Amino acid sequence: MVTTIRKICKEKEIDISKTCFKNSNPEVVDFIIVSGENYTCKEKNKDSVSLFYKNTVEVIDFPYLSKILPELKNVDYMIRDRLPYFTAGLDNLKDALENGRKIAVEGGPCLFGTEEVKVEIVHKDGGIRFFDYNTGKTYLEQGGLSDSVSFSDYIKTNVNAIKAIHFHNNKTGLTSQEYYFIKYPFEMAKAFNGPLVIPIPDMSYVKYLDAVIKDLDPKIRGDALEEFRNVEYQITDLYLELIDAMKKLNPNVHCEVVHARDKELLDKYYRAREPFIERSRVIRKLTGIPEKLESIKDYVSMPALPYYLHGISDIVEIDSMDETDSYRKCCFAHKGSINLSCILFPELLSKDKVHTVFEAGRKVKEYGQYEIS
């Protein structure tokens, strides 16, 4: 769904003058949001209404956010005052600041999006099929993508006919959205004077692939996993290069990056999360899709990384609004152990004005169109 705050309020018959957006910059209420339709309103009192997404995060503007958390008044990114913010747990965050407790920041972008890694499935009879790794959709001979059969279903159906699986890395750089989803956490870590942990989920992407191809011949499966890891690492290196540049610009921010090739940090993370994530009551709430379970364990536990690595229990997740469900599930899994807050951002719209940069085709992703600052 493509929508705006103004459109949501109109559809819900909410008077904007009774919301926190009554004095907002018009760019905020007309900012294009690509999301599900899960918006609800809750009355604070007879003159005040709050807008919520997925009954989890409250939608607010920057003046409202910085009034609650004055520490954020000097955060610096170009689109700061144009964005709606999807927030939860801000009272916990305010309490931590007022009482001098250490606050840590967690967040970062996904590894790659649509049309950036192409899957090539080679059949024993010489036939070839192509899929997009992110969407799982089929590449059509005439161009474009089709929902006719997904990558995972195709593997299951043709497991005995497959000779090899190859991966083509078409990601030529980082997008402006990926830059911002590194920039936001650094700015927040500066504002809160706390450490930053950025997960790069290459380990999670390969877990999904491993589960999808588990029934293939062991040699074919092993070769495919090795090839995919090589592609992943090429992409991870783009992020590591950007993060190193951001570290130099922000020498007072202690930043750690969790990714597949840092075995020591990764092992520490997995050991520390086990008592929280490997409980049956938690696992039952994660997903009904078996091949996604191991990767979703990662996504749901990543917001708690500062607790696992440093023992810091006051954490703010700075991420995409698409991580709302992961935030909620992480709170459930760690209830009583951490105070998890979140400030989530809408995904940025691509040049086609229909898809987010993440979901858009490569021609409209606008690689490299950002200035590191």
Side-chain angles (χ1 to χ4, degrees), residues 11 38 44 57 60 78 93 98 132 144 146 156 200 217 230 272 317 347 350 361 364:
E11 290 173 348
N38 309 79
K44 288 186 174 180
V57 289
I60 61 178
M78 188 184 301
L93 197 53
E98 290 176 347
D132 177 66
S146 168
K156 292 174 187 175
I200 300 178
D217 174 271
N230 288 334
E317 179 183 8
E347 301 266 320
S350 69
V364 291

Side-chain angles (χ1 to χ4, degrees), residues 121-125 127-131 138 148-165 212-217 220:
I121 298 179
V122 181
H123 285 239
K124 292 174 182 176
D125 65 4
I128 297 176
R129 290 287 294 268
F130 291 97
F131 293 84
T138 308
S148 60
V149 60
S150 72
F151 166 53
S152 59
D153 288 342
Y154 191 83
I155 295 288
K156 292 174 187 175
T157 304
N158 296 276
V159 65
N160 294 317
I162 294 172
K163 179 181 178 181
I165 302 179
V212 167
I213 65 175
K214 64 182 177 62
D215 293 325
L216 288 179
D217 174 271
I220 298 171

Side-chain angles (χ1 to χ4, degrees), residues 18-76:
K18 292 186 177 182
T19 72
C20 69
F21 300 103
K22 62 183 177 182
N23 296 316
S24 290
N25 179 341
E27 288 185 279
V28 175
V29 293
D30 292 316
F31 189 92
I32 296 175
I33 303 168
V34 182
S35 71
E37 299 179 359
N38 309 79
Y39 291 91
T40 54
C41 59
K42 297 180 183 179
E43 285 191 12
K44 288 186 174 180
N45 53 57
K46 65 178 183 178
D47 297 316
S48 181
V49 177
S50 295
L51 184 66
F52 282 81
Y53 179 60
K54 292 192 173 183
N55 289 316
T56 301
V57 289
E58 184 177 4
V59 193
I60 61 178
D61 66 0
F62 186 77
Y64 191 92
L65 175 64
S66 59
K67 184 178 180 181
I68 299 171
L69 302 169
E71 292 79 5
L72 299 183
K73 285 183 178 178
N74 294 321
V75 294
D76 180 24

Side-chain angles (χ1 to χ4, degrees), residues 302-348:
M302 282 173 179
L305 271 165
Y307 179 69
Y308 303 143
L309 301 183
H310 303 297
I312 299 173
S313 56
D314 288 285
I315 303 167
V316 55
E317 179 183 8
I318 307 298
D319 221 317
S320 162
M321 64 177 288
D322 287 353
E323 299 303 322
T324 298
D325 288 336
S326 293
Y327 166 79
R328 175 177 51 79
K329 292 175 182 179
C330 187
C331 288
F332 172 76
H334 298 82
K335 187 176 181 180
S337 295
I338 65 173
N339 298 315
L340 182 61
S341 310
C342 72
I343 302 172
L344 307 180
F345 295 76
E347 301 266 320
L348 302 184

Side-chain angles (χ1 to χ4, degrees), residues 142-211:
Q142 65 271 30
L145 295 169
S146 168
D147 284 317
S148 60
V149 60
S150 72
F151 166 53
S152 59
D153 288 342
Y154 191 83
I155 295 288
K156 292 174 187 175
T157 304
N158 296 276
V159 65
N160 294 317
I162 294 172
K163 179 181 178 181
I165 302 179
H166 301 298
F167 300 90
H168 304 273
N169 179 14
N170 296 318
K171 187 170 179 59
T172 56
L174 299 181
T175 65
S176 56
Q177 174 166 298
E178 289 160 341
Y179 165 71
Y180 277 118
F181 278 79
I182 296 290
K183 172 75 169 172
Y184 300 148
F186 266 96
E187 284 294 319
M188 298 298 180
K190 276 197 301 184
F192 294 130
N193 192 30
L196 167 63
V197 182
I198 298 176
I200 300 178
D202 49 2
M203 76 295 281
S204 312
Y205 277 55
V206 79
K207 285 177 183 178
Y208 173 69
L209 175 64
D210 193 21

